[in-house]
Amino acid sequence: MIKGFKNFLLRGDVIVVAVGLITALAFSTLIKAFTDFVINPIIARAQGGQSVGLGVQLGAPGNKATYLDFGSFLSALIYFVIFMAVVYFLIVVPYKHTQARRGVTVFGDPGPLKTCPACLAEDLPAGASKCRYCTAEQPAGLGDGMPVR
């Protein structure tokens, strides 16, 4: 039992995922600091004057519970885009390259799809024998006259 657990932990994919998560957490901290200390002041200044930030006060002035803070939302959106770009370019692209050298396709384009004539679901794999939604039998093969995307 311990040997099986050891083999599981030492598999290459588990190690790659662990390193990827650690790297993502480190970049998350860096990007959070960037949005908090660089982007947020720029967004707050965009409103001008003595305002609290980019937003609208719905209730009594000074009540944070009724303040719609568009600046914080915009900052979170920028944070998300930067974080996902870092994950993609520093983790996904090298992983795809490494796996391609091993002959394994990861994150590839989906295969051809067909439409079910019974329920008109458009996301059935071309080789499906039954529809996943209505369970109608599907004609076999790609040359069956059914629309394929």
Side-chain angles (χ1 to χ4, degrees):
M1 186 152 97
I2 298 296
K3 182 180 178 184
F5 182 66
K6 176 184 160 195
N7 290 341
F8 168 73
L9 287 178
L10 295 179
R11 283 185 51 206
D13 293 342
V14 174
I15 302 299
V16 168
V17 169
V19 170
L21 286 174
I22 291 167
T23 305
L25 288 172
F27 276 111
S28 173
T29 304
L30 180 65
I31 295 167
K32 179 77 172 127
F34 175 74
T35 55
D36 285 347
F37 301 117
V38 176
I39 301 296
N40 284 351
I42 293 171
I43 292 172
R45 182 64 182 135
Q47 180 114 10
Q50 299 293 327
S51 75
V52 176
L54 186 60
V56 177
Q57 182 68 50
L58 297 178
N63 184 359
K64 286 189 168 194
T66 58
Y67 184 73
L68 294 179
D69 193 357
F70 299 123
S72 291
F73 177 74
L74 185 59
S75 176
L77 185 64
I78 291 169
Y79 171 85
F80 176 76
V81 170
I82 292 172
F83 184 76
M84 293 311 293
V86 167
V87 167
Y88 179 76
F89 290 111
L90 295 181
I91 296 173
V92 173
V93 170
Y95 182 69
K96 281 174 63 173
H97 179 70
T98 303
Q99 293 297 77
R101 288 176 47 199
R102 294 175 59 198
V104 178
T105 303
V106 292
F107 304 114
D109 293 330
L113 301 173
K114 66 181 176 182
T115 302
C116 174
C119 70
L120 303 178
E122 297 179 346
D123 61 344
L124 299 178
S129 61
K130 283 190 171 193
C131 176
R132 72 177 82 176
Y133 303 107
C134 69
T135 68
E137 292 290 330
Q138 300 294 309
L142 288 174
D144 55 14
M146 296 181 65
V148 175
R149 297 191 279 147

